[in-house]
Amino acid sequence: MHTGNTEDVRDHLLGWLLPDGDPAGSLAQQDVERFCWYELPVKWAAEPAEYPHILATLAELLDDADRPRAAAVCTSAATLAILDAWQRTSEEGRAAFRQAVDASPVTPPDTALLAWGPVMGIDEAVARSNASRMLEQALDDGVLVPSARGYATARTLHLERWLTTPHPAHDGHAPLDAIHSERGRAWAEAPPAAGAVCAAGWPTCSPPRPKYTTTRPNPCAGCWSRLATAWH
């Protein structure tokens, strides 16, 4: 891709990020992060010299849509460092990308109730995306303040309340219940090989049966969810 004029770049960005024609203001910060940290260097046919123009154009789009937090991602030091890492090697780029995602305030953390699977089924992926949007809204509203004392604990509690509250995306069930049910179905349909050792250290991976598909923590840390759809 050759960036050309700003209008061409704007059109390309909107077509890529919002193919259904939704307004720029509907972009979640997680979508902006994924574009800046992964899609731009890996999937766009753009030269590194074009990155500043592309990122500045996206930041302007987001500023115009009153999304300053997401706009700041585009020109942050973290984004520049990740793009530099991708230019060195794909391994360095991927490692920098994953580290930045883990550190992002809109990435839902693991909690005592749920460890997000390294790969996910549809319900879990939808829940994780919605949880990220929920955290972003809490940041925008000042409910969560990263610089405040006790922020990490407040963030975890905020997420756990959300996980155990019925949500329309899961037919009125709590996201946690939907995730546990989905993981149980995946395990029942494709159990791990006999004798395998799971990530939690169990001799054979034994996820909770249907009686555990509630808000209770499960004993297996969710590692059997690798049988489902990958998030990345």
Side-chain angles (χ1 to χ4, degrees):
M1 172 190 175
H2 295 288
T3 54
N5 61 50
T6 299
E7 284 302 316
D8 288 341
V9 176
R10 288 171 66 97
D11 289 345
H12 196 177
L13 284 166
L14 290 172
W16 180 274
L17 293 167
L18 297 161
D20 295 330
D22 296 328
S26 65
L27 272 175
Q29 183 172 323
Q30 62 180 339
D31 298 329
V32 176
E33 292 174 346
R34 183 169 58 249
F35 175 79
C36 294
W37 299 343
Y38 176 74
E39 293 174 354
L40 175 59
V42 175
K43 297 190 175 183
W44 266 42
E47 297 296 326
E50 299 174 297
Y51 293 169
H53 185 197
I54 295 169
L55 293 169
T57 302
L58 179 56
E60 183 180 357
L61 274 170
L62 291 164
D63 276 327
D64 290 345
D66 196 27
R67 298 293 306 287
R69 184 185 300 276
V73 172
C74 303
T75 53
S76 67
T79 293
L80 297 179
I82 294 165
L83 293 175
D84 285 344
W86 279 111
Q87 290 178 54
R88 291 192 295 271
T89 67
S90 60
E91 291 78 12
E92 287 187 58
R94 189 173 297 276
F97 162 60
R98 293 191 180 280
Q99 184 177 14
V101 168
D102 289 343
S104 171
V106 300
T107 295
D110 290 344
T111 79
L113 293 182
L114 176 71
W116 298 98
V119 291
M120 303 181 184
I122 293 174
D123 280 330
E124 186 167 357
V126 167
R128 192 180 191 281
S129 179
N130 286 334
S132 178
R133 286 181 175 268
M134 179 275 297
L135 290 173
E136 182 180 2
Q137 189 63 54
L139 290 164
D140 289 342
D141 293 343
V143 175
L144 295 176
V145 180
S147 61
R149 185 177 181 180
Y151 161 71
T153 299
R155 181 170 175 246
T156 296
L157 292 175
H158 199 68
L159 175 60
E160 289 185 338
R161 282 194 295 270
W162 183 87
L163 283 169
T164 54
T165 299
H167 194 283
H170 304 289
D171 296 324
H173 297 290
L176 186 64
D177 290 345
I179 292 167
H180 283 177
S181 294
E182 181 177 61
R183 288 178 174 183
R185 291 194 302 272
W187 173 77
E189 292 168 5
V197 177
C198 77
W202 293 79
T204 55
C205 196
S206 303
R209 290 295 188 174
K211 67 179 180 178
Y212 285 110
T213 56
T214 65
T215 58
R216 294 179 61 183
N218 65 70
C220 190
C223 55
W224 71 91
S225 66
R226 66 185 181 279
L227 303 171
T229 304
W231 177 58
H232 293 305

PDB file of all heavy atoms in Angstrom, residues 110-122:
ATOM      1  N   ASP A 110      -6.996 -12.575  34.320  1.00  0.00           N
ATOM      2  CA  ASP A 110      -7.454 -13.796  34.974  1.00  0.00           C
ATOM      3  C   ASP A 110      -7.891 -13.438  36.391  1.00  0.00           C
ATOM      4  O   ASP A 110      -7.345 -12.516  37.009  1.00  0.00           O
ATOM      5  CB  ASP A 110      -6.327 -14.825  35.043  1.00  0.00           C
ATOM      6  CG  ASP A 110      -5.960 -15.392  33.687  1.00  0.00           C
ATOM      7  OD1 ASP A 110      -6.753 -15.239  32.733  1.00  0.00           O
ATOM      8  OD2 ASP A 110      -4.862 -15.978  33.575  1.00  0.00           O
ATOM      9  N   THR A 111      -8.873 -14.156  36.901  1.00  0.00           N
ATOM     10  CA  THR A 111      -9.341 -13.939  38.265  1.00  0.00           C
ATOM     11  C   THR A 111      -9.484 -15.289  38.955  1.00  0.00           C
ATOM     12  O   THR A 111      -9.307 -16.341  38.333  1.00  0.00           O
ATOM     13  CB  THR A 111     -10.701 -13.216  38.298  1.00  0.00           C
ATOM     14  OG1 THR A 111     -11.746 -14.159  38.027  1.00  0.00           O
ATOM     15  CG2 THR A 111     -10.771 -12.072  37.293  1.00  0.00           C
ATOM     16  N   ALA A 112      -9.824 -15.260  40.226  1.00  0.00           N
ATOM     17  CA  ALA A 112     -10.049 -16.507  40.962  1.00  0.00           C
ATOM     18  C   ALA A 112     -11.228 -17.289  40.382  1.00  0.00           C
ATOM     19  O   ALA A 112     -11.311 -18.508  40.538  1.00  0.00           O
ATOM     20  CB  ALA A 112     -10.293 -16.207  42.436  1.00  0.00           C
ATOM     21  N   LEU A 113     -12.132 -16.591  39.707  1.00  0.00           N
ATOM     22  CA  LEU A 113     -13.293 -17.259  39.115  1.00  0.00           C
ATOM     23  C   LEU A 113     -13.001 -17.842  37.744  1.00  0.00           C
ATOM     24  O   LEU A 113     -13.616 -18.819  37.338  1.00  0.00           O
ATOM     25  CB  LEU A 113     -14.454 -16.265  38.981  1.00  0.00           C
ATOM     26  CG  LEU A 113     -15.088 -15.740  40.257  1.00  0.00           C
ATOM     27  CD1 LEU A 113     -16.251 -14.811  39.909  1.00  0.00           C
ATOM     28  CD2 LEU A 113     -15.560 -16.879  41.136  1.00  0.00           C
ATOM     29  N   LEU A 114     -12.055 -17.237  37.017  1.00  0.00           N
ATOM     30  CA  LEU A 114     -11.851 -17.650  35.626  1.00  0.00           C
ATOM     31  C   LEU A 114     -10.443 -17.322  35.165  1.00  0.00           C
ATOM     32  O   LEU A 114      -9.984 -16.186  35.297  1.00  0.00           O
ATOM     33  CB  LEU A 114     -12.851 -16.926  34.715  1.00  0.00           C
ATOM     34  CG  LEU A 114     -12.690 -17.193  33.219  1.00  0.00           C
ATOM     35  CD1 LEU A 114     -13.126 -18.633  32.887  1.00  0.00           C
ATOM     36  CD2 LEU A 114     -13.497 -16.193  32.393  1.00  0.00           C
ATOM     37  N   ALA A 115      -9.768 -18.333  34.614  1.00  0.00           N
ATOM     38  CA  ALA A 115      -8.533 -18.116  33.866  1.00  0.00           C
ATOM     39  C   ALA A 115      -8.894 -18.236  32.392  1.00  0.00           C
ATOM     40  O   ALA A 115      -9.371 -19.280  31.945  1.00  0.00           O
ATOM     41  CB  ALA A 115      -7.484 -19.150  34.247  1.00  0.00           C
ATOM     42  N   TRP A 116      -8.716 -17.157  31.644  1.00  0.00           N
ATOM     43  CA  TRP A 116      -9.070 -17.175  30.226  1.00  0.00           C
ATOM     44  C   TRP A 116      -8.245 -18.227  29.500  1.00  0.00           C
ATOM     45  O   TRP A 116      -7.048 -18.367  29.728  1.00  0.00           O
ATOM     46  CB  TRP A 116      -8.838 -15.804  29.603  1.00  0.00           C
ATOM     47  CG  TRP A 116      -9.672 -14.725  30.214  1.00  0.00           C
ATOM     48  CD1 TRP A 116      -9.286 -13.830  31.170  1.00  0.00           C
ATOM     49  CD2 TRP A 116     -11.043 -14.429  29.923  1.00  0.00           C
ATOM     50  NE1 TRP A 116     -10.333 -13.001  31.493  1.00  0.00           N
ATOM     51  CE2 TRP A 116     -11.423 -13.346  30.741  1.00  0.00           C
ATOM     52  CE3 TRP A 116     -11.987 -14.973  29.047  1.00  0.00           C
ATOM     53  CZ2 TRP A 116     -12.706 -12.791  30.709  1.00  0.00           C
ATOM     54  CZ3 TRP A 116     -13.269 -14.424  29.014  1.00  0.00           C
ATOM     55  CH2 TRP A 116     -13.618 -13.348  29.838  1.00  0.00           C
ATOM     56  N   GLY A 117      -8.876 -18.976  28.625  1.00  0.00           N
ATOM     57  CA  GLY A 117      -8.167 -20.023  27.909  1.00  0.00           C
ATOM     58  C   GLY A 117      -7.226 -19.468  26.855  1.00  0.00           C
ATOM     59  O   GLY A 117      -7.479 -18.405  26.282  1.00  0.00           O
ATOM     60  N   PRO A 118      -6.135 -20.151  26.573  1.00  0.00           N
ATOM     61  CA  PRO A 118      -5.234 -19.716  25.512  1.00  0.00           C
ATOM     62  C   PRO A 118      -5.885 -19.804  24.139  1.00  0.00           C
ATOM     63  O   PRO A 118      -5.477 -19.113  23.198  1.00  0.00           O
ATOM     64  CB  PRO A 118      -4.045 -20.671  25.645  1.00  0.00           C
ATOM     65  CG  PRO A 118      -4.608 -21.882  26.311  1.00  0.00           C
ATOM     66  CD  PRO A 118      -5.668 -21.370  27.246  1.00  0.00           C
ATOM     67  N   VAL A 119      -6.873 -20.659  24.011  1.00  0.00           N
ATOM     68  CA  VAL A 119      -7.734 -20.708  22.829  1.00  0.00           C
ATOM     69  C   VAL A 119      -9.166 -20.747  23.340  1.00  0.00           C
ATOM     70  O   VAL A 119      -9.418 -21.182  24.461  1.00  0.00           O
ATOM     71  CB  VAL A 119      -7.431 -21.931  21.940  1.00  0.00           C
ATOM     72  CG1 VAL A 119      -6.092 -21.804  21.268  1.00  0.00           C
ATOM     73  CG2 VAL A 119      -7.494 -23.226  22.735  1.00  0.00           C
ATOM     74  N   MET A 120     -10.091 -20.272  22.516  1.00  0.00           N
ATOM     75  CA  MET A 120     -11.442 -20.055  23.025  1.00  0.00           C
ATOM     76  C   MET A 120     -12.512 -20.505  22.047  1.00  0.00           C
ATOM     77  O   MET A 120     -12.333 -20.431  20.828  1.00  0.00           O
ATOM     78  CB  MET A 120     -11.656 -18.557  23.314  1.00  0.00           C
ATOM     79  CG  MET A 120     -10.662 -17.978  24.288  1.00  0.00           C
ATOM     80  SD  MET A 120     -10.966 -16.216  24.611  1.00  0.00           S
ATOM     81  CE  MET A 120      -9.561 -15.869  25.670  1.00  0.00           C
ATOM     82  N   GLY A 121     -13.613 -20.944  22.618  1.00  0.00           N
ATOM     83  CA  GLY A 121     -14.806 -21.169  21.842  1.00  0.00           C
ATOM     84  C   GLY A 121     -15.534 -19.853  21.615  1.00  0.00           C
ATOM     85  O   GLY A 121     -15.106 -18.791  22.081  1.00  0.00           O
ATOM     86  N   ILE A 122     -16.648 -19.906  20.916  1.00  0.00           N
ATOM     87  CA  ILE A 122     -17.365 -18.689  20.550  1.00  0.00           C
ATOM     88  C   ILE A 122     -17.856 -17.945  21.777  1.00  0.00           C
ATOM     89  O   ILE A 122     -17.681 -16.722  21.895  1.00  0.00           O
ATOM     90  CB  ILE A 122     -18.541 -19.025  19.605  1.00  0.00           C
ATOM     91  CG1 ILE A 122     -18.015 -19.530  18.265  1.00  0.00           C
ATOM     92  CG2 ILE A 122     -19.424 -17.784  19.396  1.00  0.00           C
ATOM     93  CD1 ILE A 122     -19.088 -20.026  17.327  1.00  0.00           C
TER      94      ILE A 122
END
